[in-house]
Amino acid sequence: MNNNLVELSRDGEIAVILINNPPVNALGAGVPEGIAEAIEKFVQDSQLRAAVLMGAGKSFVAGADIKEFGKITSGQRAGSGLGRLLSKLEECPKPIVTAIHGSAFGGGLELAMATHYRVASPTAQVGQPEVKLGIIPGAGGTQRLPRLAGVAKAVEMCAEGNPINAADALQYGIVDRLIDGDLQLGAAEFAREIAEKPAPQTRARSERLGSPEENAQIFAVARQNARAKQRNMAAPLAAIDAVEAATTMPFEQGCEYEQKRFIECLFSEQSKALIHVFFGEREVAKIPDVPKQTAVLPVSSVAVVGAGTMGGGIAMVFANAGIPVLLKEVDQPALDRGLANIRKNYDYSVSKGRLTQQAAGKRLALIQPTLRFEGFSDVEMVVEAVFEGMELKKQVFAELDRVCKRGTILASNTSTLSIDEIASATSRAEFVIGTHFFSPANVMRLLEIVRGRATSKEVIATCMQLSKKLGKVGVLVGNCMGFVGNRMFGPYRREAQFLVEEGAPIEAVDQALFDFGMAMGPLATGDLAGLDVGWRIRKEHGHLQALGLRQPFAEDKLCELGRFGQKTGAGWYKYDGHRRATVDPAVAALMREWSTQAGIPPRDISAEEIVDRCIYGLVNEGARILEQGYALRATDIDIIYLYGYGFPAYRGGPMWYADRVGLDKVYDRICEFHRQFGAHWEPAPLLKELAAQQKTFSDFQSERGAAA
Ligand code: 3H9
């Protein structure tokens, strides 16, 4: 063979073609060529009757090489021509059986569907996840999958991008047999069974392509779902169109249509952003001074101090991962309330069919309530989630230092307070770290891991690894006020309030940011989180506010009226018993009155100004954080915003978004706000510098990475 990415061997009269391109056998440069060459040899060898195609290592094939997409869109290389290779495989006169283990994703599943049969390990998964990268299958997936699995399943898999397991793949006809035990042996046996039969071509099948009436309904529902659940995204709708083409056009023409839409998506801003997110999610796990080999500490039992909303949610996160938790409160009523909430959450999951009663019971049993520190001497990690006040936190940590054995990690769920100061209450600052969960902790995927001055590398490595085990995306941040996420959220929510104080209707502010793609508007988010949380923090840190600088007053005044948000039935909006929001004219009237008292004349404010002020508020603070080193990379900030704050993934995160707008344009706009609205808008020095040099945050990241 020309390259060693694909190996050909024999098992009697069966050819075994092995794709060996670690880590995930992506179909990068050389692999399609290697497969073509192996098939050529197989065809020419008259002693070989059938072939088994499989992948080396953990998995069959994870799809096209995503790294190559950037090279294609920047004109550095042409497309792989994978579609043509797959047609050749399908036309091969001798049968080819694909043997799937691990994952057959994207181009991997397309490759498998172009061969004549598929067998799989019971633990395998298959999927067309391309929409998650802002593209659609580009090597016939939208044309072959409906022919095997039926139109409804194909639309769902191509438009939503979620994988299915081997048992479902068998049920839907995507694979022909599951193989228990040795996959290669089982696949070779299958190949012998079918060796004399004609090689069936997926493209020639039409029995599952449905009737126009049935299909019309399927596509209408799919489009409706895509518009609602994948709001503003182009790829899901393109994927649905392409599957529809399979039902209205001959195979070749359907493939041409798919290719056209694939290219359109590949060159889109959405796809570039989502590919940035794919690699970003993996990059955040890499910490330059905490190498992969750093020893990790065991975390097989934990304790959580505080059974409030956050503490209860955190206890559930550990229980969901099978880790036993001691859950401590100060008195019985608080503990009962906390446990009742946890039970309610599990019951809800059971009622939605997301969890069986038995599984919920098992998880609940892992949470052991307590009023004392007894048992804390045995746990390997404690997460403190008490009220957000420094004195209380220090008392708790001093107590933990006394009762926990040496080596126990002491983590604080503080969202704003200094980890170093908290650590100063203990005799083991190297074991103290911040683990900042996001509300609801059992749902939100972000975990900000806050590194204190003395936190040891082992403790950091342990928490980073633990985040994965808990199903979270862990991002390491430095110890500054509000860390990364909340520090940036400050200017974002400040501007949202200012806009209302200057005359923008409350719902117009939320709508503009919702339309931009945020999961929720900033004011509705405040109501959800509880306006009193920020109010208390402002009281605690009031002495830090710069004198003479305009401060928003709206939320403080709402809190003074007892309007804390959803939990009190009223905040920016009013809420019914089901927590559904409606505009409250009383608040609009109060806002006008308060603004008049403050001497702020009302004016018309455009949706564009709303978005620019809120989003550039994030970006300007993000630039400061990056320059000061509190975030390792611009990408880390992006990932924090996607998983913790509902920033739309198809915009790549705030820093990526700013790069794509152009930092010179962002800088100019911020200067305009600076002139108009004053000192809050002092441009971050890094932003100014990069804008002047026509550079991006990504350039800064690469240069800093290269210098390290
Ligand atoms: C496609 O196929 C389009 C087609 O229609 C054809 C069009 C012509 N490419 O996730 P992990 C890297 S689009 C390049 O940590 P896991 C990943 O960056 C593709 N690299 O492991 C990481 O690198 P590093 C459709 C890839 O075990 C390393 O592999 N396919 C690719 O937790 C390990 O990855 C997808 O979207 C790739 N395709 O999960 C599948 N995949 O170590 C994307 C992975 O340097 N991949 N890498 O950080 C996945 O979903 C997961 O990686 C997988 C393994 C489940 C496979």
Side-chain angles (χ1 to χ4, degrees), residues 23-24 26 58 62-67 69 80 82 103 105-107 110 129-130 133 135-139 262 278-279 282 286 468:
V24 292
K58 277 201 316 195
D65 186 339
I66 302 169
K67 286 193 286 301
F69 289 149
S80 64
L82 193 60
S103 5
F105 285 172
E110 292 174 301
E130 286 89 343
L133 300 169
I135 55 175
I136 68 168
F262 168 78
F278 176 84
F279 288 115
R282 284 150 182 87
K286 295 170 190 156
K468 226 177 170 181

Side-chain angles (χ1 to χ4, degrees), residues 93-401:
K94 294 194 269 188
I96 307 168
V97 179
T98 299
I100 302 169
H101 73 299
S103 5
F105 285 172
L109 178 56
E110 292 174 301
L111 171 63
M113 291 191 296
T115 65
H116 308 108
Y117 299 95
R118 289 146 296 279
V119 298
S121 294
T123 51
Q125 289 200 313
V126 305
Q128 298 284 177
E130 286 89 343
V131 286
K132 299 198 176 186
L133 300 169
I135 55 175
I136 68 168
T142 61
Q143 306 303 299
R144 288 194 180 90
L145 191 54
R147 286 173 160 84
L148 289 178
V151 175
K153 196 67 193 169
V155 168
E156 182 192 308
M157 288 176 68
C158 293
E160 295 175 17
N162 298 319
I164 63 170
N165 62 32
D168 286 346
L170 179 70
Q171 190 202 326
Y172 282 100
I174 300 170
V175 303
D176 303 292
R177 182 182 293 174
L178 298 191
I179 308 269
D180 279 314
D182 190 296
L183 181 63
Q184 185 176 334
L185 284 181
E189 195 180 308
F190 183 92
R192 282 188 190 96
E193 285 172 34
I194 51 85
E196 300 312 324
K197 295 190 185 157
Q201 296 186 350
T202 306
R203 69 167 70 190
R205 295 179 55 174
S206 61
E207 71 277 11
R208 303 211 63 188
L209 287 178
S211 69
E213 298 74 36
E214 285 163 359
N215 290 342
Q217 175 72 10
I218 292 170
F219 293 123
V221 171
R223 289 191 173 99
Q224 203 177 4
N225 284 343
R227 288 196 181 100
K229 294 189 196 145
Q230 292 148 294
R231 200 160 46 92
N232 302 348
M233 284 187 59
L237 292 169
I240 297 168
D241 293 347
V243 176
E244 189 173 35
T247 68
T248 57
M249 297 176 190
F251 180 80
E252 292 295 348
Q253 206 184 328
C255 286
E256 279 165 28
Y257 179 78
E258 176 197 82
Q259 193 58 29
K260 181 173 143 261
R261 300 301 297 270
F262 168 78
I263 294 291
E264 199 178 287
C265 288
L266 185 64
F267 280 81
S268 71
E269 279 298 317
Q270 291 195 350
S271 170
K272 287 176 188 148
L274 287 162
I275 289 172
H276 159 70
V277 172
F278 176 84
F279 288 115
E281 251 184 58
R282 284 150 182 87
E283 191 161 15
V284 293
K286 295 170 190 156
I287 301 163
D289 72 329
V290 183
K292 233 177 166 179
Q293 316 76 276
T294 308
V296 293
L297 306 166
V299 182
S300 55
S301 65
V302 302
V304 174
V305 185
T309 314
M310 285 312 293
I314 295 168
M316 287 176 72
V317 170
F318 283 104
N320 294 349
I323 301 174
V325 201
L326 279 174
L327 178 61
K328 183 185 174 308
E329 253 303 345
V330 282
D331 57 36
Q332 196 63 45
L335 193 55
D336 290 345
R337 267 197 310 277
L339 282 171
N341 265 333
I342 293 174
R343 249 184 236 112
K344 200 171 91 190
N345 280 327
Y346 279 133
D347 285 348
Y348 182 75
S349 299
V350 171
S351 76
K352 289 275 162 197
R354 289 186 205 129
L355 207 59
T356 63
Q357 190 71 56
Q358 197 192 12
K362 244 180 160 173
R363 292 177 187 193
L364 202 55
L366 285 172
I367 302 175
Q368 195 191 326
T370 178
L371 292 174
R372 290 194 303 258
F373 281 109
E374 225 174 68
F376 274 55
S377 55
D378 296 329
V379 299
E380 283 151 347
M381 176 170 181
V382 183
V383 182
E384 163 278 314
V386 302
F387 209 68
E388 190 76 352
M390 184 53 91
E391 280 323 301
L392 178 62
K393 302 248 180 210
K394 280 172 123 175
Q395 270 170 29
V396 171
F397 271 76
E399 187 64 22
L400 291 175
D401 191 42

